[in-house]
Amino acid sequence: MAYGDVRGYSFALVSSVNERITFSATSKYPILSLEILGFKTIFNESRKSFCVPNISSGQSRLIARDSRAVSVVASVASQFRELSTSVETRVNDKNFERIFVQNGISVKPLVVERIDNDENVLGDEESRLGVLVDDGESVNREDLDGGQGVEIVSTKREESDIEKEAWKLLNDAVVMYCGSPVGTVAANDPGDKMPLNYDQVFVRDFVPSALAFLLRGEGEIVKNFLLHALQLQSWEKTVDCYSPGQGLMPASFKVRTVPLDDNKLEEVLDPDFGESAIGRVAPVDSGLWWIILLRAYGKLTGDYALQERVDVQTGIKLILNLCLADGFDMFPSLLVTDGSCMIDRRMGIHGHPLEIQALFYSALRSSREMLVVNDGSKNLVRAINNRLSALSFHIREYYWVDMRKINEIYRYKTEEYSTEATNKFNIYPEQIPSWLMDWIPEEGGYLIGNLQPAHMDFRFFTLGNLWSVVSSLGTPKQNEAILNLIESKWDDLVGNMPLKICYPALESEDWRIITGSDPKNTPWSYHNGGSWPTLLWQFTLACMKMDRMELAQKAIALAEKRLQVDHWPEYYDTRSGKFIGKQSRLYQTWTVAGFLTSKVLLENPEKASLLFWDEDYDLLEFCVCGLNTSGRKRCSRVAARSQILV
């Protein structure tokens, strides 16, 4: 394995089931020659998850191949549903599903599993010609047994020095829990004496690391992460004894060692839902990223059984119920506070920021693919389709700006009262900033950062726009225009280091009022116009989807010149991204992983195609607004269909 010879196990909680599973292996994997029981999980008052061995009787099956002993748990896959805590559902018109866990225990079932790339039995043809070993080199099958045979030469490209260093750094960042890899720390700078929370596993930050491992054929760490994060879904207090909605995913978690009886120590997973974070803001995007990564895991490994597990299905539903709950908001976009996403400090993005909408749309599409449709979930699936239909129209119609649209806003009439109003959100033309009038190119456009009554945030937010391309939240024409704009404004949005998190920076009085004079978000630094190399992998994926790989190659070449020399910084400062960020952590894991993922994606376009979404034309046929019966003539679906044909 790339993260060492230790083979881990993935756990989900199982109540009332104790199984002993004996694993054995050759001396290459000595850690596997111990006995592990179905681990029981204990939750204390602060919502920490303990891993405690539990001795009981059990059975295992042993299969030996090529002088290796590999243990396979018999019948585990077929018993997932029987071992999982049973769930009953209640459905009504308002709540899609309410989930009740029996016995009042808010935990997930524990099932011990193994992921082992060596479990596939070789066919005759593979046995005769050769096998592909972990490092990608093809060797003769007979050589494994000491015999002589035909040599098969590997066609794999030789990794550069920077790639070798990047893989080493990524492997060194792996976090172990109860003998299993469960994620990567946010930053792993040995010279940092005050890591704050950078020594934790962040859900958001782990995504590029997970994709790098998956693209290399290593799914164990990702599966463990998905299941452990699922265990930590919100049940307890966060800030001053107030409980968030059921289903909230933690922003991060840390492995801590705590004392037990008899002077023994045990490992514990300690989640952070924002109660310890700067600003005390709940992570809205964590659950969305978790769903997106779950889909990617299935696509890249073929292990769709994980998605079908009862505990995983329950986790998806809890997240969706939290996001789809009825409230006071009138818009199909998701209402959130400032600091609830990658920009986790005050930057004036409260309301309906584009980044959250793009991730929300992707999570909805992912969930629709993965949910098992039955009587208990059909209302939820219907709600997903309805929301997707309304959300896609809302973003495409009202968030999009190009030269034509800006000129239309420039001539808006205000104080319009009617369902047929052109200026639906009462936007005042004076809101159009002077920089935008000169900056917008003739060809190209983008999705604005935010939209609320009497407010349009015209800043260009890179993550939201790139993910709108990846998820097909934008129309095909809009997606193409976004990349055209990035190419046209390359010096502003890429410069010396890809990519600007937003453009332009807030300066002078805007910076003082909107950020609260934030000393970290000074103009052209950190979230306020800083350059973040981790965005490279999302840019690469968007470019590959739109057949613009030359742009991705150009951006990767820029990053490759400096990242290793600069010790893999978290972000860069100045208008052109020329200097390492003034408070930037070095050896930032998602900087390393973003670079590696970009390189591997370019070399494996067939795998990249599994990670993005094509236009869903079926959504254009949904009409959930009931406008025809209310006297209003314009249906959003008609408008959406017309967009596709433009």
Side-chain angles (χ1 to χ4, degrees):
M1 308 295 284
Y3 35 81
D5 288 337
V6 177
R7 300 271 177 120
Y9 310 90
S10 26
F11 307 103
L13 302 171
V14 166
S15 58
S16 74
V17 176
N18 294 320
E19 291 248 15
R20 186 180 68 177
I21 301 171
T22 303
F23 297 95
S24 61
T26 66
S27 58
K28 183 178 180 182
Y29 305 106
I31 193 170
L32 297 183
S33 60
L34 50 87
E35 291 187 343
I36 296 183
L37 300 150
F39 283 56
K40 72 178 179 182
T41 300
I42 304 170
F43 289 84
N44 68 1
E45 293 180 356
S46 59
R47 188 64 188 94
K48 297 180 176 65
S49 173
F50 289 85
C51 180
V52 184
N54 178 27
I55 305 300
S56 179
S57 61
Q59 197 173 23
S60 65
R61 181 176 58 188
L62 192 65
I63 299 177
R65 180 174 64 83
D66 293 336
S67 302
R68 299 181 183 180
V70 180
S71 114
V72 180
V73 181
S75 305
V76 168
S78 64
Q79 296 176 9
F80 279 154
R81 291 173 177 80
E82 288 75 14
L83 294 177
S84 300
T85 303
S86 60
V87 175
E88 60 177 286
T89 61
R90 298 181 183 177
V91 181
N92 57 38
D93 293 338
K94 291 295 183 182
N95 296 320
F96 313 119
E97 282 199 319
R98 298 186 62 191
I99 299 175
F100 301 86
V101 182
Q102 289 185 353
N103 302 324
I105 301 176
S106 302
V107 297
K108 306 291 188 300
L110 171 65
V111 175
V112 180
E113 291 187 278
R114 268 292 303 278
I115 297 179
D116 197 319
N117 294 332
D118 299 327
E119 289 178 5
N120 295 328
V121 180
L122 291 174
D124 294 339
E125 188 67 16
E126 284 181 301
S127 177
R128 182 176 63 84
L129 293 179
V131 294
L132 192 67
V133 295
D134 287 345
D135 59 1
E137 299 293 330
S138 183
V139 298
N140 181 266
R141 168 55 192 259
E142 294 181 8
D143 291 342
L144 294 176
D145 299 324
Q148 301 296 321
V150 179
E151 181 181 0
I152 306 298
V153 180
S154 172
T155 60
K156 183 180 179 181
R157 177 185 64 83
E158 179 70 21
E159 289 182 342
S160 63
D161 290 340
I162 184 175
E163 290 173 271
K164 291 177 181 177
E165 178 179 308
W167 280 114
K168 182 181 184 303
L169 291 173
L170 186 59
N171 296 334
D172 291 344
V174 169
V175 174
M176 304 296 291
Y177 171 61
C178 295
S180 306
V182 294
T184 51
V185 292
N188 197 27
D189 183 2
D192 189 356
K193 304 303 180 183
M194 295 184 64
L196 297 178
N197 57 354
Y198 282 79
D199 60 350
Q200 299 187 22
V201 179
F202 278 80
V203 174
R204 178 193 312 125
D205 294 34
F206 181 65
V207 172
S209 297
L211 292 178
F213 285 125
L214 288 173
L215 290 168
R216 211 180 195 191
E218 298 161 9
E220 179 183 21
I221 185 174
V222 183
K223 187 172 186 177
N224 291 343
F225 169 84
L226 289 167
L227 292 174
H228 279 299
L230 182 63
Q231 294 176 23
L232 300 174
Q233 271 187 307
S234 170
W235 306 102
E236 297 294 332
K237 72 180 181 68
T238 54
V239 179
D240 297 334
C241 301
Y242 181 76
S243 297
Q246 192 181 63
L248 182 70
M249 282 288 185
S252 63
F253 60 84
K254 184 174 182 175
V255 178
R256 300 185 188 276
T257 302
V258 298
L260 296 177
D261 296 335
D262 301 326
N263 296 322
K264 294 181 180 180
L265 299 177
E266 195 53 73
E267 290 181 340
V268 56
L269 284 183
D270 188 10
D272 178 13
F273 292 93
E275 70 271 24
S276 300
I278 298 172
R280 305 302 192 264
V281 180
V284 177
D285 62 340
S286 293
L288 306 178
W289 277 122
W290 183 85
I291 290 176
I292 292 168
L293 182 58
L294 178 64
R295 172 187 181 267
Y297 171 82
K299 290 281 188 178
L300 292 174
T301 65
D303 179 14
Y304 294 103
L306 179 67
Q307 302 171 3
E308 298 171 358
R309 287 175 43 154
V310 172
D311 54 340
V312 175
Q313 289 282 309
T314 301
I316 296 173
K317 294 170 186 175
L318 287 172
I319 295 171
L320 293 179
N321 287 341
L322 185 63
C323 295
L324 294 171
D326 292 335
F328 292 103
D329 195 40
M330 293 288 291
F331 303 153
S333 45
L334 196 58
L335 178 64
V336 297
T337 60
D338 228 340
S340 59
C341 52
M342 179 180 175
I343 297 179
D344 55 6
R345 297 168 77 96
R346 179 177 168 187
M347 271 286 290
I349 63 168
H350 56 276
H352 304 84
L354 177 65
E355 176 183 333
I356 289 294
Q357 313 318 316
L359 294 175
F360 183 35
Y361 183 80
S362 304
L364 290 174
R365 291 196 64 175
S366 299
S367 299
R368 191 176 59 171
E369 293 179 28
M370 297 185 295
L371 279 174
V372 176
V373 181
N374 51 39
D375 290 340
S377 64
K378 61 183 180 181
N379 281 2
L380 180 57
V381 173
R382 184 182 302 112
I384 290 172
N385 284 327
N386 292 346
R387 192 62 165 261
L388 282 169
S389 176
L391 180 62
S392 62
F393 168 72
H394 184 80
I395 299 298
R396 293 173 175 188
E397 179 75 4
Y398 302 125
Y399 276 62
W400 180 254
V401 292
D402 53 15
M403 194 69 166
R404 182 195 62 79
K405 184 60 181 263
I406 293 173
N407 196 62
E408 178 184 317
I409 297 171
Y410 183 72
R411 294 170 52 81
Y412 265 169
K413 296 178 181 179
T414 59
E415 314 302 327
E416 292 184 293
Y417 177 80
S418 89
T419 57
E420 301 299 321
T422 301
N423 186 2
K424 290 181 172 59
F425 300 97
N426 202 34
I427 303 299
Y428 301 106
E430 289 75 15
Q431 288 186 24
I432 302 176
S434 57
W435 66 264
L436 181 60
M437 307 283 279
D438 299 325
W439 189 75
I440 191 75
E442 292 288 341
E443 298 294 330
Y446 66 100
L447 296 167
I448 62 172
N450 213 328
L451 174 67
Q452 298 184 80
H455 173 68
M456 296 182 78
D457 186 346
F458 287 100
R459 286 176 291 176
F460 177 90
F461 287 87
T462 302
L463 175 55
N465 275 277
L466 291 180
W467 208 251
S468 295
V469 175
V470 171
S471 65
S472 288
L473 177 56
T475 68
K477 185 176 180 180
Q478 289 171 349
N479 294 339
E480 183 180 352
I482 289 171
L483 293 183
N484 287 341
L485 178 133
I486 293 175
E487 182 180 30
S488 175
K489 298 299 177 181
W490 188 266
D491 291 341
D492 292 327
L493 301 177
V494 181
N496 290 287
M497 177 58 63
L499 289 138
K500 278 273 175 281
I501 192 171
C502 69
Y503 182 90
L506 297 170
E507 300 182 282
S508 304
E509 283 300 292
D510 286 339
W511 167 77
R512 185 182 67 81
I513 295 171
I514 294 176
T515 74
S517 301
D518 188 345
K520 193 169 185 178
N521 273 334
T522 52
W524 306 108
S525 178
Y526 201 50
H527 296 142
N528 190 15
S531 298
W532 291 71
T534 187
L535 295 173
L536 191 60
W537 74 269
Q538 298 175 78
F539 180 61
T540 300
L541 194 56
C543 289
M544 296 183 73
K545 178 184 177 182
M546 302 307 296
D547 198 21
R548 300 293 301 276
M549 285 189 287
E550 74 283 356
L551 291 180
Q553 292 166 342
K554 183 179 177 182
I556 292 172
L558 277 174
E560 204 161 7
K561 290 179 182 179
R562 296 193 56 188
L563 288 179
Q564 185 179 29
V565 175
D566 294 340
H567 305 299
W568 308 90
E570 179 184 14
Y571 64 94
Y572 285 77
D573 282 354
T574 73
R575 185 184 289 266
S576 63
K578 192 173 184 179
F579 292 98
I580 298 173
K582 58 186 176 183
Q583 295 189 42
S584 176
R585 261 33 183 213
L586 301 181
Y587 299 102
Q588 186 81 12
T589 303
W590 70 349
T591 297
V592 174
F595 169 76
L596 286 174
T597 300
S598 299
K599 296 285 287 188
V600 179
L601 283 173
L602 278 180
E603 295 176 3
N604 298 274
E606 74 287 350
K607 293 183 178 179
S609 66
L610 299 175
L611 297 176
F612 53 69
W613 292 260
D614 292 322
E615 176 68 58
D616 186 348
Y617 292 97
D618 290 339
L619 281 179
L620 306 180
E621 301 303 322
F622 281 100
C623 180
V624 299
C625 52
L627 295 185
N628 291 336
T629 60
S630 64
R632 287 174 280 178
K633 297 180 180 179
R634 191 180 189 194
C635 172
S636 63
R637 293 304 88 214
V638 175
R641 285 195 293 271
S642 67
Q643 287 178 326
I644 295 298
L645 299 176
V646 172

